[in-house]
Amino acid sequence: MEQPSIFGLPNDYLITERCATALARSKQGVTVTEEEWMKYICLGYLEPGRFEGMTEDGRRATFDECFEYNDHLRANGHLVAEVPLQPPETALTLYWKNGKVATTDGPYAETKEQLGGIQILEARDLNHAVQLVSQQPGFKYGLGPIEIRPVADLSEIIMESEQRRRKDTSR
């Protein structure tokens, strides 16, 4: 039985063998079919105070244009999920200290920009993902940078772990 991921999607949707196949094929110069598209995590950062410095009409126009582009991506099969985040001051960071879990209020990394949200895109390859993301309207409004990372294929590692765990419980 599949366990849901933190994004509410089945794990095999985020971490699949087809990602590895698509990556290998695209590196060889082979055209990748839509079924083999790679998944990319896009981390959208916001410049602090950018929205607060806009007029209400400016904010609405920015949101409308950004959401319209997301609708376009979704309609064309590129936008798998989007997860907006609350401000960094609402974060709680967990870490291991002295043999137990400890917490700190706030984000893990102190940066000028704030992580504002995450998108999961499907694209033929990294160049295609860059092409899609570079058209985000937020850039022209100076909202902040977007980091793109390919989703890792852990299917083989997960399968090996499942086999070890089944073996351990069968004793």
Side-chain angles (χ1 to χ4, degrees):
M1 181 166 158
E2 291 178 323
Q3 297 297 313
S5 74
I6 60 170
F7 298 108
L9 302 168
N11 280 327
D12 71 345
Y13 198 74
L14 289 175
I15 305 167
T16 64
E17 231 175 90
R18 74 181 185 161
C19 286
T21 302
L23 181 59
R25 289 181 54 147
S26 67
K27 285 181 177 178
Q28 296 168 354
V30 176
T31 303
V32 178
T33 65
E34 190 169 336
E35 293 81 33
E36 297 176 311
W37 280 0
M38 295 279 300
K39 286 187 178 47
Y40 294 89
I41 302 295
C42 303
L43 305 172
Y45 293 90
L46 297 172
E47 295 283 342
R50 181 65 68 188
F51 281 116
E52 295 78 7
M54 292 180 173
T55 64
E56 185 63 29
D57 287 343
R59 262 193 307 279
R60 287 182 182 154
T62 301
F63 283 134
D64 291 350
E65 199 171 337
C66 290
F67 294 151
E68 183 177 12
Y69 185 67
N70 288 351
D71 290 343
H72 169 76
L73 289 174
R74 193 176 299 104
N76 287 287
H78 297 295
L79 183 58
V80 176
E82 53 191 319
V83 183
L85 299 174
Q86 292 189 14
E89 57 270 13
T90 65
L92 183 69
T93 301
L94 282 69
Y95 58 96
W96 192 257
K97 184 176 183 178
N98 299 327
K100 62 181 182 176
V101 174
T103 62
T104 301
D105 289 337
Y108 173 70
E110 295 294 327
T111 63
K112 179 182 169 197
E113 295 89 5
Q114 303 168 351
L115 183 58
I118 299 167
Q119 288 186 328
I120 303 172
L121 291 183
E122 284 191 327
R124 289 184 304 273
D125 54 29
L126 182 57
N127 289 333
H128 187 213
V130 168
Q131 179 186 18
L132 294 170
V133 172
S134 67
Q135 297 174 46
Q136 288 281 358
F139 283 124
K140 75 179 181 185
Y141 294 107
L143 298 183
I146 298 176
E147 178 181 339
I148 304 172
R149 291 193 198 180
V151 170
D153 177 19
L154 299 180
S155 57
E156 191 172 315
I157 295 169
I158 291 169
M159 189 173 56
E160 290 169 357
S161 173
E162 288 171 348
Q163 290 171 352
R164 285 191 304 272
R165 289 179 282 142
R166 273 196 300 271
K167 194 177 191 179
D168 289 346
T169 59
S170 65
R171 291 181 189 176

